[in-house]
Amino acid sequence: MKNIITISVFAVALALSASAQTATQDMKNAGSDTKQAAKDTGKGVAKGAKKTGKAVKHGTNKAAHKVAQKTQ
């Protein structure tokens, strides 16, 4: 009877240990996924900002050229 109880306790401890390792790995994976998503978002924002900056520069130069033409 003692052996059955000992084996049962050991089996429960082993199962709890395995689930704790799985939860730890899940948290690590979630952190990595979040980091990658933030990097992708940052790249998209940088690309959009660069494109917008170029468009503003082009529009400003176009307006300045128009003003220069009218004042001559």
Side-chain angles (χ1 to χ4, degrees):
M1 187 71 171
K2 272 188 166 181
N3 288 340
I4 294 174
I5 293 172
T6 305
I7 291 172
S8 298
V9 169
F10 182 71
V12 169
L14 186 62
L16 291 174
S17 172
S19 68
Q21 289 176 353
T22 302
T24 301
Q25 189 59 45
D26 288 346
M27 290 299 292
K28 287 181 182 179
N29 290 343
S32 295
D33 292 345
T34 302
K35 179 181 176 182
Q36 191 60 44
K39 287 167 92 176
D40 291 344
T41 301
K43 287 178 185 175
V45 169
K47 185 177 179 182
K50 191 174 187 179
K51 188 175 179 180
T52 302
K54 286 181 179 181
V56 168
K57 181 179 177 182
H58 177 73
T60 302
N61 287 338
K62 187 175 178 180
H65 184 70
K66 223 177 202 183
V67 169
Q69 291 291 327
K70 288 184 178 183
T71 57
Q72 287 182 355

